[in-house]
Amino acid sequence: MSKRKILVIEDEPDIRELLVHHLHREGHRVLAAGDGFSGLEKARKENPDVVLLDLMLPGMDGIEVCRRLKADPVTRGVSVVMLTAKAEETDVVLGLGLGADDYVPKPFRVKELMARLQAVLRRGAIVSEEAAADAIVRGRIVIDPSRHQVRVDGVDVLFTATEFRLLAFLAQHPGRVFSRDQLINRVLGHMAIVTPRNIDVHVRALRAKLGEEREAIETVRGVGYRFRVEER
Ligand code: CA
């Protein structure tokens, strides 16, 4: 994989140094910050490809950092991978809702984290190659793959790369049920590291953003998910 610029925002020195060390070894350019404020400053100045963001930070927590990254036109486009402790599941949903691309629970294995990171970088590349496809219109949801844009009831809604791919794929096959494993294989590429549980989290964030159209994505108990068939 090509070299990328990665910003690590983590207050625990041991973990921070471990991450910096391994990312360096993978050939990336690595920046590090020990708190949210200096992290945001570095993100603005250095324009990284990915921010590895710890959620439990002193002062400004990771959720607020994520919110500010996504609210700032300078940093809005950065991919965010959150590092979370197990107990922080609501924060994970919140973070994904704010535009984070993925999360890795602590304690993590370095190999797994690297694989997830690569997946996020690869997904970003895939999405930008998906130009020129026709818009998918499903009731009040309009998905424009060429512009990576979704309008719900006439209003632009911001989706992460992963959410966008999931939504577009399901909407392309209305009425057809896909298992979580199928979604992982067909939508997220060959990312063996993505678990079925991740799919649930992404779908939850997706629905939250669809608002009144949330029921467009139906859960088929014991099987998976499908995009509803429109009533005529
Ligand atoms: Ca921490």
Side-chain angles (χ1 to χ4, degrees):
M1 186 174 61
S2 59
K3 288 184 186 182
R4 302 300 185 97
K5 198 191 273 188
I6 298 172
L7 170 61
V8 177
I9 307 178
E10 164 67 78
D11 59 312
E12 285 155 69
D14 289 353
I15 301 180
R16 191 171 63 235
E17 277 158 35
L18 177 86
L19 290 170
V20 169
H21 170 76
H22 283 279
L23 290 167
H24 259 303
R25 239 182 35 179
E26 296 273 316
H28 299 295
R29 277 198 57 197
V30 194
L31 310 155
D35 63 83
F37 291 100
S38 57
L40 283 171
E41 205 181 294
K42 282 198 174 149
R44 276 192 71 99
K45 217 159 62 184
E46 300 278 350
N47 190 27
D49 297 298
V50 181
V51 174
L52 263 183
L53 176 62
D54 183 32
L55 282 193
M56 293 284 274
L57 292 167
M60 189 195 304
D61 68 17
I63 288 296
E64 183 57 27
V65 173
C66 185
R67 196 193 308 276
R68 293 191 189 194
L69 282 172
K70 293 297 172 181
D72 186 335
V74 176
T75 53
R76 184 174 289 163
V78 71
S79 295
V80 176
V81 175
M82 301 180 292
L83 300 173
T84 67
K86 237 189 182 159
E88 298 166 341
E89 192 170 297
T90 27
D91 286 343
V92 167
V93 174
L94 197 59
L96 293 175
L98 287 170
D101 289 86
D102 204 353
Y103 70 97
V104 176
K106 285 179 173 180
F108 54 82
R109 284 178 304 142
V110 169
K111 241 178 129 175
E112 176 183 345
L113 177 67
M114 293 299 152
R116 286 282 269 276
L117 200 61
Q118 294 215 11
V120 166
L121 290 169
R122 207 181 308 135
R123 251 176 279 166
I126 292 168
V127 169
S128 50
E129 284 162 15
E130 272 172 2
D134 289 339
I136 305 159
V137 182
R138 296 283 176 262
R140 291 191 286 174
I141 303 171
V142 179
I143 303 160
D144 183 349
S146 65
R147 293 163 67 200
H148 193 249
Q149 196 181 54
V150 180
R151 291 176 82 82
V152 181
D153 212 5
V155 178
D156 281 340
V157 181
L158 195 68
F159 288 88
T160 66
T162 306
E163 290 160 9
F164 185 87
R165 288 178 64 78
L166 272 174
L167 177 64
F169 180 78
L170 289 168
Q172 274 163 347
H173 307 91
R176 204 167 139 195
V177 189
F178 294 95
S179 71
R180 291 165 180 79
D181 285 329
Q182 281 173 323
L183 290 173
I184 291 169
N185 291 330
R186 307 224 3 213
V187 184
L188 303 180
H190 308 289
M191 293 166 224
I193 301 301
V194 180
T195 67
R197 180 82 192 88
N198 293 140
I199 295 289
D200 294 341
V201 174
H202 286 303
V203 167
R204 216 183 308 166
L206 196 54
R207 280 181 176 146
K209 290 182 185 178
L210 287 174
E212 288 185 1
E213 293 298 303
R214 66 174 61 237
E215 280 160 20
I217 310 256
E218 298 172 333
T219 303
V220 181
R221 259 180 223 301
V223 188
Y225 296 103
R226 75 174 162 216
F227 201 92
R228 78 169 162 222
V229 179
E230 285 158 77
E231 294 150 31
R232 303 252 169 204

